[in-house]
Amino acid sequence: MTKLLYFSWVRERIGLASEERDIPAEITSVEQFLNWLSQQGDQYENALTDAASLRVALDQTHVTADAPLNGAREIAIFPPMTGG
Amino acid sequence: MTKLLYFSWVRERIGLASEERDIPAEITSVEQFLNWLSQQGDQYENALTDAASLRVALDQTHVTADAPLNGAREIAIFPPMTGG
Amino acid sequence: MSDHPVKISIQQEQFDIQAETEFLVKKSPNAGALVSFSGICRADDTLSALELEHYPGMAESQIQKIVDEALAKWPIQGALVIHRVGKIAVGETIVLVAVTSAHRHAAFDGANFIMDFLKSRAPFWKKEYLAEGGEGSWVDAKESDEDALSRWDQNADRTNS
Amino acid sequence: MSDHPVKISIQQEQFDIQAETEFLVKKSPNAGALVSFSGICRADDTLSALELEHYPGMAESQIQKIVDEALAKWPIQGALVIHRVGKIAVGETIVLVAVTSAHRHAAFDGANFIMDFLKSRAPFWKKEYLAEGGEGSWVDAKESDEDALSRWDQNADRTNS
C-alpha cells in the first residue's frame, strides 16, 4: 500500500486529503502513475488533467515526471507551491 | 564669524567641540582653510596634520578639499564616518 | 551545522519579531548584523484573509534544506524561519525569515536567498478569502518567483532536487 | 515624497523592532514585504561598549537624503531609520533600517542600499570602551564600506555630494 497525499486544489477536486492505494506493479514512473490515477474516477480525471501544473513529491522529495517511483511509500500531488 | 565644529578624534585633539572664528578673507578653499587652521596652535597642528584622513562639511554638506568656502557659516571637520 | 543556531517553526500563532530575533541574536554573539524579512498579507480591495495550507513533514525538511544551503553558501551565524499556516487576516505576518552574520552583506544575501526558495520550493499553498464573504481562488505561483531562483546560480538546482 | 511614510530618529533609547516596524507596516497598507536590518554591538574579547557620537542636524539631513535616494530608485512604500547615539553595550542594537514594499526584492535592495550609505555617508563616529575598563580607540572606517557604495552605480556619486 502506498500513501497518497493531495494538497490545495488537487485535494479539493479529488475530495480527499489522503488515501492508501495499491499501485499496480507495471506502474514504474511518476508519469505513468499520474496517468493511472487519473483513470480512477471523474474527480481524479478532473484533478489531474492539467499535468503541466502538477508537482509530485516521492517520500517528501520533489521529483520530475520522468522519475522512477522506486517503491516510494508516500506520493504527494500538488500545484506549484506559493509559500512565503 | 564662522562656526567651526569638530567631531571624534579631531574634537579630542583640538580639545573643543566647537568655536567661532574669523577666517581671513584670503582663505577661499577648504584646503587653504585646513592649512590655516593647523597653524593656530599645537593642538590644531596635531589634529589636522593628516589631511588625507580628514573630512569636511560646509553648512552640513560634504565637500572635497578643493571646494570653495563660499562664505559657509558652519564648517565641520571630522574623520571618515563610521555609522550604522 | 550544529554550531549554528537554527530555528524553524510552522505555526498558526502570531509572533513577536523583537522576541524572536532577540533570541537569535543572543545565540549568535559574534553577529553584528541581523537581517529579517516579513511577508505580510497585504491589503487588497477584494481580499479579507488568506488560508495557508502546508505539507507537514516535507515543509519542515524543505525549509531545513534551504537554510542548510544558505549556511553553506555564506558566512551566516544563525537563521530563523517562522511560517504561519491557517487563516491569516489582511495586515498580519505570514512568514518571518531572519539571519545573523558578522557581515551585513552575507546577512542580506542569506535572508534574500532563503525567501526566494521558500516562495517556490517549500510546500505551502495560499487560498484567498473575499471581503464580500466566501472563498476565492487559490493563489497561482508567479513566474517571477521561479525566475528569481536562477539568480542564485548552481544552488538553484541543488535545492530543487 | 510626502505620500511615503518615513520615520528618521536619532535617539539614545533602546527600541522595540516589533513596535517600530508594525507602525511602518500599518502606514504601508499595500506592502507585502518588510525588510529590516539591525546593526548590533557585537561581542568581542576586549570590548565592553561603544560610544556613538553624531553631528546633530547633518545626521538627520544625510539620512533623509539617503532615504530619498532609495525611494527614487526602487518602488518602496515606506522607510524607517533609527540610529542610536551615546553609550551602547555589547549585544545592544545600534541601528535599525526597515523598508516596506509590494516587492520583496525592492525591499531587500532598498534596506541594503540605505545601510551601505549610512555606514560611510552619515556623520556618526564610534569609540570603543574596553572590557578591562577605560576608553579604547576610535573605530576606523573600513575600506570595504567605502567600496560597497560603488555597487550602487551612479547613486554613489549623487549621495556623496
Side-chain angles (χ1 to χ4, degrees):
Chain A
M1 298 287 274
T2 306
K3 184 171 192 186
L4 307 185
L5 295 165
Y6 312 121
F7 295 99
S8 183
W9 53 255
V10 177
R11 170 179 56 71
E12 289 182 340
R13 291 186 193 172
I14 292 179
L16 287 174
S18 71
E19 60 181 319
E20 306 257 340
R21 282 203 181 240
D22 272 320
I23 300 174
E26 67 268 24
I27 304 294
T28 58
S29 77
V30 167
E31 197 166 15
Q32 289 169 350
F33 165 72
L34 288 176
N35 193 39
W36 169 79
L37 190 62
S38 71
Q39 292 160 24
Q40 305 306 308
D42 286 349
Q43 69 274 41
Y44 291 94
E45 194 182 348
N46 179 36
L48 306 176
T49 186
D50 181 13
S53 67
L54 296 176
R55 299 290 178 270
V56 173
L58 299 182
D59 291 330
Q60 309 196 355
T61 299
H62 300 132
V63 295
T64 50
D66 58 352
L69 288 186
N70 262 348
R73 283 172 304 177
E74 184 172 306
I75 305 180
I77 309 175
F78 42 78
M81 294 157 279
T82 54
Chain B
M1 298 286 274
T2 305
K3 184 171 192 185
L4 307 185
L5 295 165
Y6 312 121
F7 295 98
S8 182
W9 53 255
V10 178
R11 169 179 56 72
E12 288 181 340
R13 289 186 194 173
I14 291 178
L16 286 173
S18 72
E19 61 181 320
E20 305 258 340
R21 282 207 179 237
D22 273 320
I23 300 175
E26 67 269 23
I27 305 295
T28 58
S29 77
V30 167
E31 196 165 17
Q32 289 169 349
F33 164 73
L34 288 176
N35 193 39
W36 168 79
L37 189 63
S38 72
Q39 292 162 24
Q40 306 305 309
D42 287 350
Q43 69 276 41
Y44 291 93
E45 195 182 347
N46 178 37
L48 306 177
T49 186
D50 179 13
S53 67
L54 295 176
R55 299 292 178 267
V56 174
L58 300 182
D59 292 330
Q60 308 197 352
T61 299
H62 301 129
V63 295
T64 49
D66 57 352
L69 288 186
N70 263 347
R73 283 172 303 177
E74 186 172 303
I75 305 179
I77 309 175
F78 43 78
M81 294 158 278
T82 55
Chain C
M1 311 245 174
S2 57
D3 51 340
H4 294 287
V6 171
K7 175 181 170 181
I8 294 168
S9 174
I10 294 172
Q11 61 186 53
Q12 291 202 309
E13 299 74 31
Q14 299 198 56
F15 52 84
D16 184 287
I17 301 178
Q18 175 69 38
E20 298 288 349
T21 58
E22 197 167 277
F23 181 76
L24 183 66
V25 168
K26 280 213 177 88
K27 297 193 92 177
S28 317
N30 302 115
L34 164 71
V35 169
S36 71
F37 173 91
S38 306
I40 298 145
C41 180
R42 77 160 154 253
D44 177 304
D45 290 346
T46 61
L47 192 73
S48 74
L50 290 172
E51 180 146 22
L52 269 282
E53 181 176 347
H54 78 300
Y55 183 172
M58 183 173 173
E60 289 84 348
S61 66
Q62 278 294 110
I63 295 173
Q64 182 69 55
K65 208 192 256 186
I66 295 166
V67 167
D68 286 346
E69 289 275 340
L71 287 168
K73 202 165 154 57
W74 289 282
I76 286 169
Q77 290 203 16
L80 163 69
V81 177
I82 303 177
H83 204 306
R84 290 181 61 210
V85 290
K87 210 74 168 279
I88 295 174
V90 163
E92 289 182 19
T93 299
I94 302 166
V95 62
L96 175 69
V97 170
V99 167
T100 51
S101 173
H103 309 281
R104 72 183 182 282
H105 295 139
F108 271 112
D109 286 345
N112 206 334
F113 172 93
I114 291 171
M115 263 316 297
D116 274 358
F117 281 85
L118 272 186
K119 282 269 170 188
S120 317
R121 292 290 181 270
F124 293 86
W125 300 272
K126 294 192 183 92
K127 182 169 206 164
E128 294 180 338
Y129 281 78
L130 304 179
E132 61 189 18
E135 294 187 9
S137 52
W138 290 92
V139 175
D140 281 329
K142 284 189 235 155
E143 252 186 76
S144 58
D145 285 333
E146 192 63 34
D147 294 345
L149 303 188
S150 61
R151 302 192 301 156
W152 307 105
D153 306 309
Q154 72 281 15
N155 290 281
D157 293 334
R158 274 196 284 156
T159 309
N160 192 4
S161 63
Chain D
M1 311 244 176
S2 56
D3 51 339
H4 294 289
V6 171
K7 175 181 170 179
I8 294 168
S9 174
I10 295 171
Q11 62 187 53
Q12 291 202 308
E13 299 73 29
Q14 299 197 58
F15 51 84
D16 184 286
I17 301 178
Q18 175 70 39
E20 297 288 350
T21 58
E22 198 167 277
F23 181 75
L24 182 66
V25 169
K26 280 213 177 90
K27 297 193 90 178
S28 315
N30 302 115
L34 163 72
V35 169
S36 72
F37 173 91
S38 306
I40 297 144
C41 180
R42 77 160 153 252
D44 176 304
D45 290 346
T46 62
L47 191 73
S48 73
L50 290 172
E51 180 146 22
L52 269 283
E53 180 176 347
H54 78 300
Y55 182 173
M58 184 173 172
E60 289 85 347
S61 65
Q62 278 295 110
I63 294 173
Q64 182 70 55
K65 208 192 258 186
I66 295 166
V67 167
D68 286 346
E69 289 275 339
L71 288 168
K73 202 164 153 57
W74 290 281
I76 286 170
Q77 290 203 20
L80 162 70
V81 177
I82 303 178
H83 205 307
R84 290 181 60 211
V85 290
K87 211 76 165 282
I88 294 172
V90 163
E92 288 182 21
T93 300
I94 302 167
V95 63
L96 174 69
V97 170
V99 167
T100 51
S101 173
H103 309 281
R104 71 182 182 283
H105 295 139
F108 271 112
D109 285 346
N112 206 334
F113 172 93
I114 291 172
M115 263 316 296
D116 274 358
F117 281 86
L118 272 186
K119 281 270 171 190
S120 316
R121 293 291 181 270
F124 293 86
W125 300 272
K126 294 191 183 93
K127 183 170 206 164
E128 295 179 337
Y129 282 76
L130 303 178
E132 62 187 16
E135 295 186 9
S137 53
W138 291 92
V139 175
D140 281 328
K142 284 189 236 154
E143 252 185 78
S144 60
D145 285 333
E146 191 64 33
D147 294 346
L149 303 189
S150 61
R151 301 191 301 154
W152 307 106
D153 305 309
Q154 72 281 15
N155 291 281
D157 293 334
R158 276 196 283 155
T159 309
N160 191 5
S161 62

